[in-house]
Amino acid sequence: MKIRWWIIGLVMIGTILNYLTRSIMGVAAPTAMTELHISTEQYSWITGGFQLGIMLQPIAGYILDMIGLKTGLALFAAAWGVITMAHGLATGWVSLAGLRALLGFAEGTAHPGALKVISEWFPARERGFAGGVYNIGASLGSVLAPLLVAGAVMVWDWRGAFIVAGVLALIWAACWRRLYHSPETHPTVSSEEKAEIIEGQESYLRATEDKPPLRTLLMRRNLWGIALPRFLADPVWGTLTLWMPLYLTTVRHFDLGQIAMFAGLPFIAADLGCLFGPAVVLWLQRRGISLINARRGAYTLGAVLMTGMMFVGQVESAAAAVALLCLGGFAHQTLSVTCITMASDLFPRNEVGTAAGIAGTMANLGVLIFSLAMGHFVETIGYGPFFVALGILDLFAAAVMWILVRAPEPQKDPEPA
């Protein structure tokens, strides 16, 4: 197997741990809220703390663009490991909200870092599939969270889950620091693979020596063509990771054992979506559709599938509700991996981390607003209207992507003297 697939496998493991540490809070919420006397509205501020922290993602992405992946990801992963373990010392909603804010900032490197790896290591034809592979980690981390929390409660209590996840993050940080190298400096990459990577990348996306131009980036329509769709789409993922366990407990009357068994199913479906989205893109490309239009087509298909989420609150059967949540997870990752990967199609390598960070900020702003609205209104109007909104927002997001995104014009290499 070529070295680049081992590299993306290491990234996927890091993404698993990243999403495991951020998902534990949602699964532990019913137990922790009872023990610490936290209200639903206070819980929304705990979730909001994470979103406020991760909204600093452009700073995290900019740091990665400046200091590089090897050192940058190792430092940030070690930081999120320590902060995760500190959750076990929380005494109330205020301390949890503060820790979640710190964790959000540290974990904001996940997508910018992974996209920088893809932009450096993969030719254009493989970027979508590589993006799908690492995004599987987001779903797997959320699948493992219910199992880890249930096991921790049986052996110790919910705090133990944070300790275990934090230790695993520290181990990964050490492995990343030891094993990662760029294609130019990797000790075992072959000259043939180097040539394959370089020849398969668009010349206009190659890095320059310039610093990431923040002001210029903010003026580009392509940035908002991926950032606004993420703003509209990511409340689905926030609902699945932060609110679904609480919904299944309070509305569908699941106990912790049932949460451990069924709360992971939407994320298993999401894993399939991570591979389905790139497969749709490849299918469209083989029929003569350009890369950017193929990505927009896959995003639109995911948005249409997402309309099934409108009925989660209306069905009487708990099994049907879980099935619709699974459809939502599948549809979201179908479109999400497509949108996230577009950053590596539209921006040069020295800009992709910053661009992905800005898009990530918009995504988490959407989650923050939606989560605070749920915390304030869910006890009076229920979850139903929020599921309806989730089923509709991605259709607007698809329209925005079609209107704003433009494929970059290839730049001809200079003629030899």
Side-chain angles (χ1 to χ4, degrees):
M1 184 184 294
K2 294 176 179 177
I3 293 297
R4 61 181 177 270
W5 294 108
W6 290 105
I7 295 291
I8 204 65
L10 184 59
V11 172
M12 184 185 73
I13 294 171
T15 309
I16 289 173
L17 296 176
N18 184 285
Y19 276 81
L20 173 63
T21 53
R22 71 173 69 180
S23 299
I24 290 173
M25 189 70 251
V27 182
T31 304
M33 289 170 68
T34 300
E35 179 182 321
L36 300 178
H37 308 290
I38 296 171
S39 68
T40 302
E41 185 165 4
Q42 288 170 340
Y43 176 67
S44 73
W45 285 105
I46 293 172
T47 64
F50 182 89
Q51 304 311 138
L52 287 171
I54 206 169
M55 281 170 59
L56 299 175
Q57 207 171 60
I59 298 175
Y62 189 85
I63 292 172
L64 288 181
D65 281 336
M66 295 298 292
I67 69 174
L69 288 167
K70 185 180 182 72
T71 300
L73 277 183
L75 286 175
F76 278 102
W80 90 55
V82 172
I83 295 165
T84 298
M85 289 190 288
H87 280 58
L89 304 175
T91 57
W93 77 269
V94 175
S95 55
L96 277 175
L99 288 167
R100 298 302 288 178
L102 293 173
L103 183 65
F105 175 69
E107 293 198 335
T109 51
H111 286 305
L115 287 172
K116 277 186 69 64
V117 171
I118 290 172
S119 69
E120 290 187 1
W121 273 94
F122 287 86
R125 69 179 184 278
E126 295 176 350
R127 283 200 297 259
F129 186 68
V133 169
Y134 99 77
N135 266 285
I136 288 176
S139 307
L140 281 178
S142 300
V143 168
L144 294 174
L147 301 176
L148 178 58
V149 173
V153 169
M154 291 176 61
V155 176
W156 182 19
D157 63 12
W158 59 271
R159 300 173 189 271
F162 288 104
I163 303 298
V164 173
V167 170
L168 292 174
L170 291 175
I171 293 173
W172 184 87
C175 291
W176 178 264
R177 177 65 181 165
R178 175 70 177 85
L179 298 176
Y180 182 77
H181 301 273
S182 68
E184 295 79 13
T185 62
H186 199 286
T188 60
V189 67
S190 67
S191 57
E192 292 81 4
E193 185 172 4
K194 275 187 189 178
E196 185 180 1
I197 293 169
I198 294 171
E199 292 170 5
Q201 293 181 340
E202 305 93 324
S203 60
Y204 56 90
L205 295 183
R206 292 173 189 162
T208 69
E209 297 300 321
D210 299 330
K211 295 181 179 180
L214 290 173
R215 183 178 300 178
T216 304
L217 275 175
L218 291 172
M219 298 297 291
R220 294 184 194 170
R221 61 186 295 159
N222 277 346
L223 176 66
W224 298 106
I226 60 174
L228 291 176
R230 291 202 62 193
F231 171 80
L232 294 169
D234 270 46
V236 171
W237 196 255
T239 300
L240 290 176
T241 56
L242 301 172
W243 289 93
M244 182 182 64
L246 196 60
Y247 167 73
L248 293 177
T249 301
T250 58
V251 177
R252 299 295 178 174
H253 308 296
F254 281 28
D255 58 28
L256 184 59
Q258 291 172 314
I259 292 291
M261 290 176 60
F262 297 108
L265 294 180
F267 300 107
I268 295 175
D271 282 337
L272 300 177
C274 286
L275 300 177
F276 181 69
V280 171
V281 173
L282 182 60
W283 185 85
L284 290 172
Q285 283 188 279
R286 286 175 175 172
R287 281 149 184 81
I289 307 297
S290 68
L291 174 62
I292 298 301
N293 283 340
R295 294 217 195 279
R296 289 190 284 204
Y299 190 100
T300 303
L301 176 59
V304 172
L305 294 174
M306 184 60 71
T307 57
M309 283 282 281
M310 291 190 292
F311 306 104
V312 172
Q314 300 177 26
V315 296
E316 294 186 7
S317 166
V322 171
L324 288 170
L325 289 168
C326 289
L327 176 62
F330 176 83
H332 176 75
Q333 287 297 73
T334 295
L335 60 85
S336 180
V337 67
T338 303
C339 186
I340 290 171
T341 306
M342 283 184 76
S344 61
D345 301 322
L346 299 173
F347 299 95
R349 282 165 49 177
N350 63 304
E351 298 176 4
V352 68
T354 308
I358 294 170
T361 290
M362 292 301 296
N364 287 286
L365 177 61
V367 176
L368 173 63
I369 294 172
F370 202 85
S371 186
L372 291 178
M374 289 185 76
H376 188 73
F377 293 110
V378 77
E379 291 187 347
T380 55
I381 65 174
Y383 286 87
F386 293 99
F387 287 124
V388 172
L390 294 176
I392 296 173
L393 287 174
D394 283 329
L395 296 175
F396 291 101
V400 169
M401 182 178 287
W402 280 101
I403 292 169
L404 290 183
V405 171
R406 295 289 183 270
E409 291 293 332
Q411 299 174 359
K412 294 182 179 180
D413 294 328
E415 296 290 335

